[in-house]
Amino acid sequence: MPLVSMRQLLDEAAKGGYGVGAFNVNDMEQIQAIMMAARQTKSPVIVQASRGARAFAEDLYLFRLIQAAAELNPEIPIAMHQDHGNSFETCKSAIELGYTSVMMDGSLLEDGKTPSTFDQNVDVTRRVVDYAHERGVTVEGEIGVLGGIEDGHGAGGTGLEHVTDPDQAVEFAERTGVDALAIAIGTSHGAYKFNKKPDGSVLKMDILIAIHKRLPHTHLVMHGSSSVPKELQDIVNEYGGKLKPTWGVPVEEIQLGIRNGVRKINVDTDNRLAITGAIRKVFALTPEKFDPRDYLKPAREAMAKVVSERMTEFGQAGHAGDYKPIPITEMAKGYANGSLDPRPSLAAK
Ligand SMILES: [Zn+2]
């Protein structure tokens, strides 16, 4: 199956009332782990690469691996997404490579650290939308600023400094025409999200619900949404790791989000923990081993297990065969003739 547009994948998820995990990749084993889980659970899937991942793996290696994944798994719809594009040029280069979706994170300036103004965000996102839609490619924007830093990207802080304002979210969706919208509701990137199990004082699900009421046709995206389960932290620490106790976003909160318009859920930290725990275990228990396959294979399996659990929890499991991919060229026509207009303003009334 060719790579599919993320817009089609999310439209189908909205029809079916489920969410789709977007899993970050840097190398072959992570891509294989995601595909193992997708095959096992029969799930459509979003694979995403940050700027850091593209630099680490080199663009062409990474993209060819994704193409191989699509060729080897013709029954699985796969969208390839640029995570946190920091500029028009980053998004353009991903589209030129063949990515079927890009995130323009205009909530920060190009340095990936400094919060931008609302108008700066609208301007750069609108430019990316015009360029991408002409080519049938999906665009995710962000309004409000997430907490934490990952891969050198992020404003830092707790995630509560720049929570999304629902009025601004409506204006942003109308002025930019984005297909999907990442919102800030108190979540952070990285392992250290909350210092206790989050409640409504730090995880603003009420804001998410308010935004969905006003923008029912815009697919919402939850970033920083690893659950950081204690079992995964424990394995890392049992075999020599030094993670401080931390809490992520509980799966039941994500499921509440899915019932309220969340269609894409970004998960990275949980997979990192699973991989690191598995490798540490091999090193600690069998220090005589030195063949990389001896620890990369269990690492890959540990990640596949986490991904497959998330696919089941998010509801995407079993939906791989629901639809045929619409070619990107057809998506471009749909954007041009208005049939793919996200119609946010309809909702505002
Ligand atoms: Zn993010």
Side-chain angles (χ1 to χ4, degrees):
M1 190 183 284
L3 293 173
V4 305
S5 129
M6 189 169 85
R7 171 68 186 274
Q8 184 190 8
L9 206 137
L10 298 182
D11 283 351
E12 290 289 339
K15 267 190 243 166
Y18 58 91
V20 182
F23 304 100
N24 286 77
V25 294
N26 304 275
D27 61 25
M28 181 184 75
E29 288 79 3
Q30 289 174 314
I31 294 169
Q32 290 175 323
I34 295 168
M35 297 321 299
M36 280 160 67
R39 273 197 307 273
Q40 197 192 356
T41 60
K42 299 187 169 45
S43 297
V45 68
I46 301 164
V47 178
Q48 60 184 11
S50 65
R51 278 188 295 139
R54 286 177 57 186
F56 171 80
E58 296 181 49
D59 273 338
L60 209 51
Y61 282 119
L62 198 59
F63 192 68
R64 292 279 195 265
L65 286 168
I66 297 296
Q67 286 179 313
E71 211 172 310
L72 291 170
N73 300 277
E75 72 288 9
I76 306 288
I78 309 172
M80 183 61 204
H81 176 75
Q82 162 80 54
D83 190 21
H84 288 285
N86 64 321
S87 65
F88 176 83
E89 283 67 31
T90 298
C91 295
K92 181 170 178 272
S93 69
I95 293 167
E96 282 168 350
L97 267 170
Y99 283 46
T100 57
S101 179
V102 294
M103 177 188 193
M104 177 62 232
D105 179 0
S107 72
L108 302 174
L109 295 180
E110 200 170 328
D111 66 7
K113 291 178 176 59
T114 316
S116 62
T117 67
F118 181 73
D119 284 327
Q120 283 171 323
N121 190 357
V122 168
D123 286 347
V124 69
T125 305
R126 179 78 238 178
R127 275 183 70 207
V128 171
V129 167
D130 288 343
Y131 183 85
H133 283 183
E134 220 171 275
R135 290 156 182 81
V137 171
T138 310
V139 181
E140 172 186 341
E142 175 166 326
I143 181 77
V145 181
L146 276 112
I149 298 179
E150 197 160 42
D151 277 1
H153 181 102
T158 63
L160 287 172
E161 284 96 346
H162 305 277
V163 168
T164 305
D165 167 38
D167 289 333
Q168 274 203 342
V170 173
E171 192 187 339
F172 183 82
E174 284 177 348
R175 284 174 60 187
T176 59
V178 288
D179 303 280
L181 185 61
I183 54 174
I185 53 167
T187 63
S188 301
H189 292 119
Y192 300 102
K193 300 182 192 301
F194 301 108
N195 55 18
K196 61 179 172 59
K197 189 173 180 198
D199 57 22
S201 68
V202 288
L203 183 61
K204 305 285 185 190
M205 295 305 290
D206 53 331
I207 291 183
L208 184 149
I209 292 167
I211 293 170
H212 175 56
K213 284 216 175 86
R214 305 197 44 196
L215 287 173
H217 302 293
T218 303
H219 304 304
L220 300 182
V221 183
M222 282 176 78
H223 280 242
S225 290
S226 277
S227 300
V228 201
K230 188 168 181 302
E231 311 88 78
L232 291 180
Q233 299 177 47
D234 287 348
I235 296 172
V236 172
N237 286 340
E238 190 183 336
Y239 297 106
K242 283 202 170 77
L243 297 170
K244 290 176 282 175
T246 175
W247 281 262
V249 182
V251 167
E252 57 271 23
E253 299 291 345
I254 295 170
Q255 290 168 333
L256 171 64
I258 292 169
R259 292 196 292 278
N260 289 280
V262 171
R263 299 293 160 231
K264 173 173 181 270
I265 305 103
N266 288 9
V267 174
D268 190 4
T269 296
D270 288 351
N271 293 327
R272 294 177 174 200
L273 290 172
I275 289 168
T276 299
I279 292 177
R280 278 191 174 282
K281 189 173 174 184
V282 173
F283 285 173
L285 297 183
T286 48
E288 71 281 7
K289 290 196 168 168
F290 62 93
D291 180 340
R293 288 170 298 188
D294 287 336
Y295 50 87
L296 292 178
K297 199 160 172 258
R300 186 169 65 186
E301 278 158 13
M303 173 166 162
K305 181 166 175 283
V306 173
V307 172
S308 121
E309 282 167 14
R310 295 293 172 274
M311 286 171 161
T312 304
E313 290 157 350
F314 298 162
Q316 75 208 80
H319 288 285
D322 290 0
Y323 50 95
K324 291 272 163 283
I326 301 169
I328 289 288
T329 46
E330 286 303 309
M331 294 300 290
K333 284 183 201 160
Y335 286 118
N337 68 25
S339 63
L340 287 174
D341 185 342
R343 297 171 298 145
S345 54
L346 236 173
K349 299 201 168 76

